């Protein structure tokens, strides 16, 4: 692509400052409790949906038995409201004895037996956001060691009830304390979200040295308005945020809410596509026990997951904002491939958007295009060949674009080697229409 050298320098600079624990070289994937189940602790009246070991075991079973783990969804993450209201006699955090009677170590074993990883939540402050015991400066080493003793694999470290000056000390200290335990524990920092999310308030060079991912902005809610506001913030600030992400250190726009109550099917596909363009963690917060087949198909889309997990690890960018209220996003991938998303902000009817790869700054050549939601394949004889995509209101068309001149097909290799090799996808439907090429969702 004819993207300016400055963009590529910014993109590749991110690879130089990762947290040196070897973890999360691609965006983490899994399931987290918060958006769907919040701080529901009423296990007497709502035993199947309260924050308890039973809920997390249920979700672990679903990840292990319903095909999620094999696709990369391998984390089960506890959020707030899991602890007792008091630390134990030795000053350590302890789970609520009624809701977690087996303890966190037992829950970790349950997950590890199913080849899954356990994430846990703590808050740097006097209390968690939900009012449970927090982790103050004098408790950081104790809590890090406690998590390691329990064989926890991931920590989300929130920041309610602490000051900016305290956070400047606390977040680096927790990183150091986790590393000192000798156990590899992924580390998510909420620090930027409490300081506006942008330089100069946020030193992303430092964050890349101490955190594997970080929350930059508002919590996602179960609504399209929330999803769109988060995406808008990230892409409006892409010049500052895109360069700081990369293997081992990711921007986190918060959870996928696909399968809940607030998104239409088109909006669900849009969240999945935009989060993938952002190289965001794919952390679901939904009820895996009751997902519709439509939601499952979106979340288990093998082509999108392959793009998400591309080892190059470059966060994508918004290329165009058209007067027609169509926006175009791009993410570079390995082997000269790329992903394109055509997104409609319209609210009236499907819109037929016309363009060419040349207009999107692709270099001269023959390209194959795979539509990740329909499975259709299109050959573009030239980068100047016009195409038309039909995009539903608040929906997307997402393409995996591959330059034919950069690869040679071998017998049985398939036309999209990165996607097919990793996930053994079924054969792709290949169309070669004459004249102008059309794709319709």
């Amino acid at each position: 692509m004819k993207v300016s050298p400055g963009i590529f320098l910014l993109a590749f600079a991110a690879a130089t400052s990762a947290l040196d624990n070897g973890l999360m070289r691609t965006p983490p994937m899994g399931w987290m409790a918060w958006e769907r189940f919040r701080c529901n602790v009423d296990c007497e009246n709502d035993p199947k949906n309260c924050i308890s070991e039973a809920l997390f075991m249920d979700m672990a079973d679903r990840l292990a038995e319903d095909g999620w783990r094999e696709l990369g969804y391998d984390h089960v993450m506890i959020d707030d409201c899991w602890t007792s209201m008091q630390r134990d006699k030795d000053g350590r955090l302890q789970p609520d004895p009624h809701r977690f009677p087996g303890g966190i170590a037992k829950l970790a074993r349950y997950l590890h037996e199913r080849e899954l990883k356990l994430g846990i939540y703590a808050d740097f402050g006097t209390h968690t956001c939900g009012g449970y015991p927090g982790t103050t400066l004098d408790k950081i080493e104790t809590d890090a060691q406690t998590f390691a003793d329990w064989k926890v694999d991931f920590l989300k470290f929130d920041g309610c009830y602490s000051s900016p000056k305290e956070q400047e000390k606390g977040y680096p200290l927790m990183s150091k304390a986790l590393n000192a335990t000798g156990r590899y524990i992924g580390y998510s920092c909420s620090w930027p979200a409490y300081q506006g999310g942008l330089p100069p308030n946020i030193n992303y060079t430092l964050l890349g040295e101490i955190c594997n991912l970080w929350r930059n902005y508002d919590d996602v809610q179960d609504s399209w308005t929330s999803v769109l506001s988060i995406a808008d913030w990230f892409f409006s600030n892409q010049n500052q945020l895109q360069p700081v992400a990369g293997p081992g250190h990711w921007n986190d726009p918060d959870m996928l809410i696909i399968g809940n109550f607030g998104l239409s099917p088109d909006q669900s596909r849009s969240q999945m596509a935009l989060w993938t363009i952002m190289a965001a963690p794919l952390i679901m917060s939904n009820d895996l026990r009751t997902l519709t087949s439509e939601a499952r198909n979106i979340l288990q889309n093998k082509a999108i997951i392959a793009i998400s997990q591309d080892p190059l690890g470059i966060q994508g960018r918004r290329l165009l904002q058209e007067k027609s209220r169509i926006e175009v996003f791009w993410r570079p991938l390995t082997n000269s491939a790329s992903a394109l998303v055509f997104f409609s902000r319209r609210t009236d009817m499907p819109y037929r958007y016309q363009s060419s790869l040349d207009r999107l700054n692709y270099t001269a050549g023959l390209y194959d295009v795979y539509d990740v939601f329909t499975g259709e394949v299109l050959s573009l004889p030239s980068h100047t060949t016009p195409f038309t995509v039909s995009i539903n209101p608040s929906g997307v068309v997402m393409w995996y674009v591959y330059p034919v001149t950069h690869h040679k097909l071998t017998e049985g290799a398939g036309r999209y080697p990165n996607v097919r090799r990793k996930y053994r996808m079924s054969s792709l439907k290949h169309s070669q229409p004459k004249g102008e090429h059309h794709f319709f969702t």
Side-chain angles (χ1 to χ4, degrees):
M1 294 182 66
K2 296 183 292 188
V3 179
S4 70
I7 289 178
F8 273 108
L9 287 173
L10 289 173
F12 284 103
T16 65
S17 60
L19 176 64
D20 191 22
N21 61 10
L23 300 177
M24 300 183 176
R25 306 303 295 172
T26 59
M29 299 172 62
W31 180 91
M32 179 176 279
W34 182 255
E35 201 293 316
R36 176 61 180 83
F37 295 96
R38 304 288 174 150
C39 194
N40 178 4
V41 296
D42 186 3
C43 291
E44 181 177 350
N45 294 306
D46 197 9
K48 291 186 177 181
N49 299 305
C50 66
I51 302 302
S52 67
E53 66 181 29
L55 176 67
F56 295 100
M57 288 177 177
D58 276 354
M59 298 306 163
D61 289 344
R62 298 283 56 78
L63 290 184
E65 297 172 17
D66 295 346
W68 300 97
R69 181 188 58 203
E70 289 74 17
L71 294 171
Y73 292 99
D74 60 359
H75 283 74
V76 175
M77 298 175 175
I78 303 171
D79 208 280
D80 203 350
C81 308
W82 63 271
T83 67
S84 170
M85 295 303 286
Q86 301 293 331
R87 289 175 175 263
D88 70 14
K89 60 181 178 61
D90 297 314
R92 296 174 300 193
L93 292 172
Q94 57 182 343
D96 182 280
H98 303 291
R99 294 183 284 117
F100 293 85
I104 301 301
K106 180 181 177 181
L107 181 58
R109 287 195 300 273
Y110 189 89
L111 267 66
H112 295 160
E113 289 168 358
R114 287 153 181 78
E115 300 179 17
L116 299 170
K117 300 172 184 177
L118 177 64
I120 205 162
Y121 169 99
D123 182 283
F124 179 61
T126 57
H127 298 84
T128 72
C129 300
Y132 290 78
T135 300
T136 48
L137 283 169
D138 61 314
K139 294 296 185 183
I140 283 178
E141 292 184 4
T142 297
D143 290 353
Q145 189 60 55
T146 299
F147 300 147
D149 291 344
W150 288 340
K151 301 296 189 282
V152 165
D153 304 291
F154 175 90
L155 171 64
K156 174 183 173 181
F157 205 32
D158 213 338
C160 283
Y161 302 105
S162 59
S163 69
K165 287 190 175 296
E166 289 170 329
Q167 290 170 2
E168 288 178 12
K169 299 177 182 178
Y171 280 96
L173 282 176
M174 178 56 84
S175 180
K176 182 179 179 181
L178 291 172
N179 287 334
T181 68
R183 180 170 180 79
Y184 293 115
I185 299 176
Y187 183 34
S188 172
C189 305
S190 294
W191 189 6
Y194 288 88
Q195 303 299 326
L198 296 172
N201 290 345
I202 303 301
N203 182 345
Y204 278 107
T205 300
L206 172 61
L207 277 175
E209 295 171 352
I210 66 171
C211 310
N212 292 113
L213 60 153
W214 44 78
R215 287 287 314 286
N216 315 65
Y217 189 60
D218 291 348
D219 288 357
V220 70
Q221 309 297 327
D222 192 7
S223 76
W224 176 238
T225 299
S226 173
V227 169
L228 193 56
S229 71
I230 291 171
D232 283 345
W233 186 85
F234 274 88
F235 287 111
S236 295
N237 295 293
Q238 64 184 8
N239 289 340
Q240 295 164 291
L241 296 174
Q242 187 264 354
V244 305
H249 51 115
W250 309 100
N251 292 309
D252 182 5
D254 212 7
M255 295 160 276
L256 297 169
I257 60 169
I258 298 160
N260 291 334
F261 311 101
L263 303 186
S264 70
D266 277 301
Q267 292 163 353
S268 296
R269 283 185 282 271
S270 293
Q271 190 192 19
M272 191 73 176
L274 293 174
W275 262 234
T276 297
I277 286 290
M278 286 190 281
L282 299 185
I283 306 298
M284 306 176 287
S285 189
N286 50 25
D287 192 338
L288 297 174
R289 302 165 298 191
T290 59
L291 278 186
T292 65
S293 59
E294 190 165 37
R296 185 188 306 272
N297 289 339
I298 294 169
L299 290 161
Q300 292 190 345
N301 185 298
K302 295 176 181 179
I304 294 182
I305 292 172
I307 293 168
S308 163
Q309 300 295 293
D310 184 83
L312 200 58
I314 295 178
Q315 181 171 320
R317 302 177 61 86
R318 181 166 56 194
L319 297 181
L320 293 173
Q321 293 176 281
E322 304 279 25
K323 292 181 180 179
S324 62
R325 296 182 60 77
I326 302 300
E327 298 182 0
V328 183
F329 302 81
W330 163 81
R331 179 180 169 186
L333 306 171
T334 52
N335 295 322
S336 301
S338 59
L340 283 173
V341 167
F342 306 93
F343 167 58
S344 175
R345 288 181 175 271
R346 300 176 70 93
T347 58
D348 51 358
M349 61 184 292
Y351 185 82
R352 289 169 55 82
Y353 177 72
Q354 298 179 347
S355 190
S356 67
L357 293 183
D358 177 58
R359 184 167 180 265
L360 302 177
N361 290 327
Y362 280 71
T363 54
L366 167 65
Y367 290 86
D368 277 355
V369 169
Y370 174 61
D371 187 311
V372 302
F373 286 115
T374 68
E376 294 179 317
V377 177
L378 178 69
S379 287
L380 298 177
S382 167
H383 69 305
T384 61
T385 302
F387 61 78
T388 302
V389 290
S390 179
I391 316 166
N392 290 344
S394 68
V396 291
V397 171
M398 186 173 188
W399 282 3
Y400 175 83
V401 182
Y402 203 92
V404 176
T405 54
H406 283 204
H407 81 286
K408 296 179 180 179
L409 292 176
T410 58
E411 185 176 356
R415 299 188 68 82
Y416 298 88
N418 292 336
V419 175
R420 288 174 61 94
R421 186 183 302 121
K422 184 170 184 179
Y423 292 107
R424 300 178 184 175
M425 295 177 67
S426 58
S427 61
L428 306 175
K429 182 169 64 176
H430 191 217
S431 60
Q432 293 179 310
K434 295 179 180 180
E436 185 179 355
H437 297 263
H438 298 267
F439 252 123
F440 301 92
T441 51

